DNA sequence: ATATTAATGCAACTGAGTTGCAAATATAGC
DNA sequence: GCTATATTTGCAACTCAGTTGCATTAATAT
């Protein structure tokens, strides 16, 4: 079940993703918005925005959840299969626009796949 | 710091991975061995076996940790970049021997990358 | 056989994420 | 605009995988 009502919380959360290409962790959003929105609500709204195809989410190497704006995701399913890049130096996470080809696996039906790449980002790789 | 002494716990844990190609979750190991080894010890031994390049680990989509025997991993780093496959029907997780090509990313230095593929395994895909 | 040092068990903790429920607030119907 | 109804929210308490501190136990070196 996605977003039904246009509430304050939804507006505030959407604003965080406005004009920001990076992914943001749930934890970070909770910290940032702690004076405005309760953490339970942050999780719930993120969940709904994901259902609606506005955001997509993924876990990083330490098991924490990141959200980023969708590009071409639809309500019926997240169709984009872009990898995510996490900088091991500054911690920044973003969506890469390259495509990673998953080879067909004999006898298995692939439904979802996730690629997390870690290394040093443009700013830290100097 | 890896394994220094050949203890009972190490032997018991290694036995679990003997002749088993599948990955096993830390949780599952703790359950299976609860009468023999304390959970803290399970985590610590797994950690050390990973340091030694005997096992490698990865997180699944729900953030739980899986371990599998290494093939060609060395003490100086895990060199294999095989994807992991998790069956959404029976829950089984295993290492795939196919290679996933990560394209070079402009200006970024790739250090690690992880690919988790989810779907239906050979047994469940009928 | 003993001293030394690593490994273990236990209990208590951490921290991201979840749940139940009562209070607040958005929307639909008038 | 006002009210009824259903969704959202906040709060506190909880879950659960994984971690930490510390005293005890068990490998290894001498």
């Amino acid at each position: 079940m996605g977003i039904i009502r246009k509430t304050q919380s939804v507006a505030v959360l959407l604003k965080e993703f406005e004009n920001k290409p990076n992914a943001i962790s749930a934890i970070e959003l909770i910290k940032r918005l702690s004076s405005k929105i309760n953490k339970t609500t942050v999780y719930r709204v993120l969940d709904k925005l994901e259902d609606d195809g506005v955001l997509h989410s993924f876990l990083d190497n330490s098991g924490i959840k990141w959200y980023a704006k969708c590009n071409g995701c639809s309500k019926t399913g997240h169709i984009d299969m872009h990898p995510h890049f996490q900088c091991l130096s500054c911690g920044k996470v973003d969506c890469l626009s390259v495509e990673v080809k998953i080879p067909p696996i004999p006898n298995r039906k692939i439904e979802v796949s996730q690629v997390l790449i870690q290394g040093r980002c443009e700013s830290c790789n100097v």
Side-chain angles (χ1 to χ4, degrees), chain A:
Chain A
M1 189 194 60
I3 296 281
I4 294 179
R5 295 183 180 181
K6 282 168 197 160
T7 62
Q8 278 297 308
S9 309
V10 172
V12 169
L13 265 165
L14 281 178
K15 202 163 195 174
E16 290 297 316
F17 288 95
E18 234 169 46
N19 308 319
K20 313 255 172 56
N22 291 359
I24 316 176
S25 70
I27 300 292
E28 171 64 21
L29 286 166
I30 289 163
K31 261 191 225 138
R32 272 192 215 168
L33 306 173
S34 61
S35 61
K36 296 179 192 162
I37 318 180
N38 177 275
K39 78 165 174 172
T40 308
T41 304
V42 173
Y43 281 118
R44 287 196 277 226
V45 171
L46 288 173
D47 226 44
K48 290 182 176 177
L49 288 171
E50 187 172 14
D51 270 8
D52 284 349
V54 178
L55 301 177
H56 63 277
S57 76
F58 52 96
L59 295 183
D60 72 9
N61 241 355
S62 61
I64 74 162
K65 209 166 186 179
W66 293 77
Y67 285 86
K69 251 193 302 194
C70 282
N71 267 316
C73 298
S74 70
K75 262 171 208 117
T76 52
H78 292 278
I79 51 165
D80 58 330
M81 229 321 291
H82 59 267
H84 295 106
F85 184 91
Q86 182 166 40
C87 179
L88 294 170
S89 177
C90 70
K92 190 176 72 174
V93 175
D94 40 34
C95 301
L96 297 179
S97 50
V98 300
E99 204 191 336
V100 172
K101 276 254 175 299
I102 303 292
I105 321 288
N107 305 319
R108 271 172 260 223
K109 193 176 161 241
I110 297 179
E111 277 166 25
V112 199
S113 62
Q114 294 188 22
V115 181
L116 178 67
I117 301 170
Q118 292 177 306
R120 293 177 73 86
C121 73
E122 329 87 313
S123 322
C124 296
N125 188 29
V126 278

